[in-house]
Amino acid sequence: MNGFQLKFFTQQDRKHAGLPLAQWLLEEARRQGVRGATLITASEGFGKTGRIHYVHFFELADQPQEVTMAVSEDESERIFEAIRQAGVQLFYVKTPIEFGVTGVDD
C-alpha cells in the first residue's frame, strides 16, 4: 500500500484539550481510523529556537516526544484536518512510503 509516514514533534509539557499533546495526537489518530501510531520519548533534542530540551532527573516536562504513523493518503488528510480544526501547532515530517504486512495471519 502507498501512503505517508507522518512524524510529529513536541514536548511533554505541551497540552491540548487537557491531555499532553502527544497523547492527544495518539487519541486523534485512533479516532480518525489510523491502524497504529507510536509515541517515542527522547532524552535530548533542540527545536527552531536552538534551545536544548532534555530529560531532567526530577522534571520530565521538557522531554522531547515524537509521534510516528504510517497512513494512507485519506488518513493523512483526516489527521491534518483534525489538527487544523483543533488549532494545534506542530512541527511535522511527511514522507511518501510503501507499507504493508509480511507473513500470514494466525
Side-chain angles (χ1 to χ4, degrees):
M1 177 175 221
N2 291 315
F4 299 97
Q5 180 180 49
L6 304 179
K7 290 185 176 197
F8 297 94
F9 299 88
T10 188
Q11 294 160 215
Q12 190 164 346
D13 62 346
R14 290 192 61 206
K15 297 202 181 298
H16 181 74
L19 293 171
L21 186 52
Q23 185 66 40
W24 175 85
L25 188 55
L26 285 175
E27 294 297 326
E28 189 58 41
R30 186 183 353 235
R31 280 191 292 276
Q32 297 303 324
V34 172
R35 291 159 283 200
T38 302
L39 171 60
I40 300 167
T41 302
S43 60
E44 191 170 326
F46 69 92
K48 66 182 177 184
T49 64
R51 185 171 156 265
I52 299 289
H53 302 277
Y54 58 94
V55 178
H56 303 265
F57 183 70
F58 294 105
E59 175 68 52
L60 300 177
D62 203 30
Q63 192 167 21
Q65 294 185 312
E66 175 187 320
V67 176
T68 302
M69 56 190 89
V71 297
S72 68
E73 186 171 349
D74 289 342
E75 291 166 334
S76 174
E77 290 171 8
R78 288 195 308 268
I79 289 289
F80 280 105
E81 181 58 26
I83 291 169
R84 275 190 290 280
Q85 290 293 319
V88 172
Q89 185 177 36
L90 277 167
F91 179 78
Y92 71 92
V93 175
K94 181 179 179 180
T95 308
I97 60 168
E98 176 184 324
F99 63 96
V101 177
T102 62
V104 210
D105 286 343
D106 292 336

